[in-house]
Amino acid sequence: MSRSEPRVGYVAKMYPRFSETFVVNEIRAREAQGEQIEVFSLRPPIDGRFHGTLAEVRAPVTYLSHSSLRASQLWDLARAAQAAHPTVGRHLEALLGLEALEAAEALELATCVAQRGIDHLHAHFGSSATSVARVAARISGRPYSFTAHAKDIFHSEVDHRDLERKLADAHHVVTVSDYNLQHLRHVFPTASRAVHRVYNGVDLDRFGFEPGPRRTEVVAVGRLVEKKGFAVLVDAVALLAARGHEVPCLVAGDGPLAEELAARTRAAGVQHLVRFLGPLPENEIRALVAGAAVLAAPCVVGADGNADGLPTVLLEALALGTPCVSTYVTGIPEAVRHESTGLLVPPGDASALAAALERLLADEALRERLARQGRALVEATFDLRRQARVLRSLVGSRGLARTGEVA
């Protein structure tokens, strides 16, 4: 490993987070290519569950947690930042633009950047993690970048002026679908010049193609939140049952709608068909999806504008050879191509979802064709190693970052 390789500081609101396997996999892939990475987390993890792949990450983790911040601590952080960066006073306006906690985190991060020899800061999600990374980068004189996913773009509470500032002065910005890229270019035509589409990747060795008989019929994976559309899935299973087609459906995940969804299955009389398994580690998710005839991802746009970008579980299912039924939401059609790599239905349409599930379950030849074409697409477009190479080249770029090219 050469020290000439830029040392990248990853900034996350919370690391590790059980539902954000894409961050861990991205760091693993970049380290495998020789990059030197450290992780800075604004919050300690609150979930005691961890995926096995976390153990493969070598990057040290620093928690910038100041939940019980006292005035004297803030002065200590300011003094340390002043010692590391004598010009910190020039950035008072930027610090005052943050919440007090974020300002303290930015000061500590800037100090760490100098002490650890960090060359570049990269944050995930354009919200608080990027706010802290941006100001720490200004204090330390280092470039910063961030990955814009979906909630940080589409949620009704997104501050457009704040996001525009971040897009405008970042070294580069990554977003995870062409849909996102076009949206950002439309809403922020000037500030989005440095935005690049880089798809999340799948570890093709870990998620190998597994054709053959399947143990269960339909599975779904994701947090139990509105944007995942699991209420529509319950309704679709109920519609099929009413027609005499009882389809077992396993749902893995946890979230604030757990009780509401359980009540919905009871009200629909399909509690014997729809089973909620709770959160599962990555290896069990992989086995669950690999053993299913169909993966359902009935995503919708939430009442607050929140939507999925391009769910990782869809890419993993395509890699495993599990046919997918999903919806025309944000970037999903870029991976689940209707009648080519899967089936798509309008979001929120339980009847259309039921019909698509019924069709796939009844047609083995269709499932096999979609599975093989889905795997081919993932190999060509969503390879984790390719994603890591592109991210590495963006950090090392000078002129490239401002061209607006799509990676």
Side-chain angles (χ1 to χ4, degrees):
M1 184 182 298
S2 169
R3 183 59 187 95
S4 61
E5 189 78 37
R7 193 174 186 86
V8 179
Y10 261 65
V11 186
K13 183 175 181 180
M14 182 182 292
Y15 179 90
R17 178 168 271 175
F18 195 71
S19 62
E20 295 178 358
T21 55
F22 52 85
V23 176
V24 171
N25 290 333
E26 181 179 303
I27 293 172
R28 286 176 46 236
R30 295 182 70 162
E31 288 184 329
Q33 297 195 15
E35 289 200 78
Q36 302 176 71
I37 291 175
E38 287 201 31
V39 178
F40 298 92
S41 176
L42 308 189
R43 307 282 183 277
I46 57 174
D47 194 328
R49 302 160 300 177
F50 302 103
H51 297 290
T53 50
L54 182 64
E56 299 173 20
V57 173
R58 297 191 299 272
V61 183
T62 298
Y63 291 100
L64 309 172
S65 179
H66 299 285
S67 57
S68 57
L69 183 70
R70 293 177 300 181
S72 60
Q73 291 176 299
L74 183 58
W75 284 120
D76 288 342
L77 292 168
R79 290 190 185 97
Q82 170 76 16
H85 306 287
T87 60
V88 66
R90 297 176 187 173
H91 305 288
L92 180 60
E93 182 178 356
L95 286 164
L96 292 174
L98 299 174
E99 299 290 334
L101 189 60
E102 292 176 341
E105 291 163 343
L107 288 167
E108 184 177 359
L109 179 57
T111 302
C112 290
V113 164
Q115 292 173 342
R116 315 271 180 83
I118 301 294
D119 300 299
H120 185 107
L121 290 172
H122 182 80
H124 265 280
F125 293 95
S127 43
S128 58
T130 298
S131 297
V132 170
R134 176 174 179 264
V135 174
R138 292 182 66 170
I139 293 171
S140 61
R142 306 301 199 275
Y144 82 100
S145 54
F146 67 97
T147 298
H149 290 269
K151 183 178 182 180
D152 50 338
I153 301 173
F154 302 117
H155 197 284
S156 59
E157 293 183 356
V158 170
D159 181 339
H160 278 205
R161 290 183 60 188
D162 179 58
L163 181 55
E164 186 171 31
R165 281 193 295 270
K166 292 167 178 171
L167 291 168
D169 62 17
H171 175 267
H172 66 271
V173 179
V174 170
T175 195
V176 299
S177 71
D178 284 333
Y179 181 93
N180 286 6
L181 179 67
Q182 296 307 318
H183 173 83
L184 291 170
R185 284 179 171 172
H186 175 72
V187 178
F188 309 104
T190 302
S192 62
R193 288 175 300 178
V195 181
H196 301 255
R197 188 270 288 147
V198 182
Y199 287 128
N200 283 340
V202 178
D203 185 334
L204 296 176
D205 296 327
R206 194 180 296 271
F207 288 84
F209 187 59
E210 298 187 19
R214 302 302 176 111
R215 295 184 297 277
T216 58
E217 296 202 341
V218 177
V219 300
V221 178
R223 295 193 68 232
L224 306 185
V225 294
E226 183 186 11
K227 66 180 180 179
K228 297 296 183 183
F230 293 144
V232 184
L233 180 59
V234 171
D235 293 349
V237 172
L239 286 172
L240 290 172
R243 297 205 291 261
H245 188 176
E246 294 204 328
V247 176
C249 177
L250 303 178
V251 181
D254 198 4
L257 297 185
E259 287 299 322
E260 185 175 322
L261 287 167
R264 197 181 189 99
T265 61
R266 290 193 294 273
V270 292
Q271 65 271 30
H272 63 296
L273 296 175
V274 181
R275 289 178 53 210
F276 294 95
L277 307 177
L280 299 176
E282 186 182 54
N283 61 322
E284 293 184 33
I285 292 291
R286 186 172 64 248
L288 180 72
V289 175
V294 179
L295 177 109
C299 302
V300 300
V301 177
D304 56 6
N306 196 10
D308 260 323
L310 210 177
T312 302
V313 70
L314 279 173
L315 306 180
E316 293 171 347
L318 293 173
L320 289 165
T322 301
C324 300
V325 177
S326 193
T327 60
Y328 294 96
V329 166
T330 62
I332 289 173
E334 294 166 44
V336 182
R337 299 177 180 176
H338 188 54
E339 300 287 354
S340 173
T341 63
L343 298 181
L344 292 171
V345 299
D349 190 335
S351 295
L353 179 61
L357 293 173
E358 192 168 39
R359 180 184 167 204
L360 260 183
L361 291 171
D363 192 338
E364 183 177 355
L366 175 62
R367 294 200 303 274
E368 290 180 359
R369 177 173 65 80
L370 297 180
R372 296 193 181 281
Q373 292 175 175
R375 174 69 189 192
L377 177 67
V378 169
E379 289 181 357
T381 310
F382 298 96
D383 186 338
L384 183 62
R385 291 165 295 196
R386 179 177 184 276
Q387 176 199 16
R389 287 196 296 271
V390 174
L391 295 176
R392 182 183 188 181
S393 71
L394 286 172
V395 169
S397 67
R398 295 184 186 278
L400 174 64
R402 288 286 168 187
T403 64
E405 292 178 2
V406 176

